[in-house]
Amino acid sequence: MDPMEQNRVIVLIPAYKPDERLITLTRELIAQRLDVLLVDDGGKETYAPVFEACRALGAAVEVHAVNQGKGRALKTGINAALLRWPDLKGIVTADADGQHTVRDILRLIAALEEHPNTLVLGSREFSGDVPFKSRWGNRITRAVYELASGVRVRDTQTGLRALPRCALEAMILIEGERYEYEMNVLLKLRDMKIGVYEVSIETIYIDDNAGSHFNPVRDAFRIYLVIFRYLFSSVTSFAVDYLLYWLCLGLRISPLISYALARLVSSQVNYHLNKHTVFSGRGGRHSMVKYYALAVVQAAIGAALVQYLPTVLPISAAVIKIPVDIVLFAVSYVIQRDYVFDQ
């Protein structure tokens, strides 16, 4: 085998109703001796000449009979690449509309060679004359994404990415058929046990980015779901705790034992909801020990604050408990995300 082929990185481009820019990009990539794989996402006969021209240049082409969305096209391409090139080292995904330059694609390939077990993002700087939707949409999603995942990136919406060989099979199984898929990949970084590395790329907007399918409200909501699941878990556990406590009192069990039984059951509910619903089953065999260690410390701090703060502030213990619980709720989420359910 040619030593160069052992480090093969192919360029995957999903395309729906492409124009001459795809042919130009394909020609430039082939000139760099790169393997190019296109996915015709249901363009049908009208756009077949564009793909035929790219095939004539040397690109491989996979075809969807009907449009299935960018996420599905990417997964089709990843699967086809694994079958076609068994010596594959990684895949660089790029857009078909001319927003990604060959120079930046080559830079991502070089970065993947230096960081072979890392997702490499081609991140835009969002400086200068940037369309409002792109600038503020990215600010919203990257802030919420960092809160939900604990991972900081500059550009959550970039389509220029270098995917490491070690995670390709897992990426095929990630949910999402359309534009949400790329965000879902970022949300699954911890599950795939890979890091992220960013490379600054040229920011190109065509026609004020009129063709962008990015929706900051929709995409931010998908990330908020992680936070909402955690909130749901906490509210459910509180309801179990409260109802069981009063049920035990109704059975004439002492308040102390009623409180202990209710807290024991509700903490188990909370642990399993967080582990399997919020944090996707992460945490390993020691997660329960870490969870209960956190719960004990959190309860001790909460009790101490509720007892102490009313002595220095003109506010009752019943009222001060609300902000104390809110702060502890937020801190607990971060600790569970980064420590209790970190693997």
Side-chain angles (χ1 to χ4, degrees):
M1 180 181 293
D2 186 335
M4 290 294 292
E5 292 184 352
Q6 295 179 11
N7 296 318
R8 187 193 302 269
V9 176
I10 70 111
V11 180
L12 169 60
I13 306 175
Y16 179 56
K17 298 182 177 180
D19 55 25
E20 294 291 327
R21 288 174 293 188
L22 178 59
I23 300 175
T24 300
L25 178 58
T26 300
R27 180 182 295 111
E28 293 175 349
L29 291 170
I30 296 293
Q32 295 291 330
R33 299 181 63 189
L34 292 172
D35 295 293
V36 179
L37 173 60
L38 311 179
V39 178
D40 174 0
D41 190 23
K44 300 185 178 179
E45 294 81 2
T46 303
Y47 297 90
V50 175
F51 291 100
E52 285 301 323
C54 293
R55 187 182 279 112
L57 290 170
V61 180
E62 295 289 325
V63 180
H64 285 168
V66 296
N67 176 252
Q68 298 183 47
K70 186 178 184 182
R72 174 50 55 187
L74 286 169
K75 287 185 275 190
T76 293
I78 294 171
N79 184 73
L82 287 169
L83 296 175
R84 187 184 294 266
W85 293 287
D87 59 325
L88 191 65
K89 185 177 182 180
I91 295 174
V92 171
T93 65
D95 293 342
D97 58 4
Q99 293 199 41
H100 300 143
T101 66
V102 174
R103 180 177 63 180
D104 284 334
I105 290 172
L106 291 172
R107 293 178 65 216
L108 258 72
I109 293 175
L112 183 61
E113 291 174 350
E114 294 180 8
H115 308 275
N117 297 317
T118 300
L119 175 67
V120 182
L121 300 179
S123 297
R124 296 161 291 181
E125 294 293 342
F126 293 96
S127 59
D129 187 18
V130 178
F132 177 84
K133 181 174 72 171
S134 297
R135 182 189 299 275
W136 284 99
N138 186 70
R139 287 180 179 178
I140 292 170
T141 53
R142 74 186 184 192
V144 181
Y145 171 71
E146 182 177 352
L147 174 63
S149 68
V151 179
R152 176 177 295 183
V153 297
R154 296 198 311 272
D155 189 356
T156 61
Q157 299 302 314
T158 180
L160 183 59
R161 304 178 175 196
L163 317 178
R165 174 63 183 83
C166 63
L168 293 179
E169 285 90 349
M171 289 183 179
I172 295 174
L173 300 176
I174 291 175
E175 295 180 354
E177 300 299 293
R178 297 189 178 277
Y179 289 91
E180 75 276 10
Y181 171 75
E182 290 173 310
M183 179 59 69
N184 290 345
V185 169
L186 293 180
L187 288 169
K188 291 293 184 179
L189 288 178
R190 285 178 179 266
D191 296 344
M192 293 186 288
K193 296 180 174 59
I194 61 174
V196 62
Y197 180 79
E198 294 185 272
V199 174
S200 296
I201 64 171
E202 186 176 357
T203 304
I204 301 174
Y205 293 105
I206 300 169
D207 298 328
D208 200 34
N209 210 28
S212 172
H213 296 267
F214 169 69
N215 184 313
V217 175
R218 177 197 64 204
D219 290 322
F221 179 76
R222 290 191 176 95
I223 316 173
Y224 273 125
L225 283 177
V226 177
I227 310 298
F228 291 156
R229 291 190 190 107
Y230 180 68
L231 180 61
F232 169 78
S233 172
S234 299
V235 170
T236 301
S237 304
F238 172 79
V240 170
D241 183 276
Y242 184 83
L243 292 174
L244 188 57
Y245 175 72
W246 284 104
L247 177 62
C248 289
L249 290 180
L251 296 174
R252 298 185 177 181
I253 300 174
S254 71
L256 181 60
I257 296 177
S258 296
Y259 181 87
L261 287 174
R263 184 50 56 93
L264 178 63
V265 174
S266 66
S267 64
Q268 275 291 303
V269 171
N270 185 252
Y271 168 76
H272 287 289
L273 282 175
N274 284 354
K275 180 177 177 65
H276 298 290
T277 303
V278 182
F279 298 108
S280 304
R282 298 197 305 261
R285 64 179 184 271
H286 299 302
S287 59
M288 184 175 291
V289 174
K290 292 189 286 186
Y291 172 84
Y292 275 105
L294 172 63
V296 170
V297 173
Q298 182 178 343
I301 292 175
L305 289 174
V306 168
Q307 184 175 2
Y308 170 72
L309 290 178
T311 66
V312 295
L313 296 174
I315 191 169
S316 68
V319 175
I320 200 64
K321 187 176 186 303
I322 296 174
V324 167
D325 284 348
I326 290 174
V327 172
L328 291 176
F329 171 86
V331 172
S332 177
Y333 170 78
V334 173
I335 295 174
Q336 289 185 53
R337 182 196 68 194
D338 293 343
Y339 176 67
V340 177
F341 302 106
D342 61 335
Q343 296 178 0

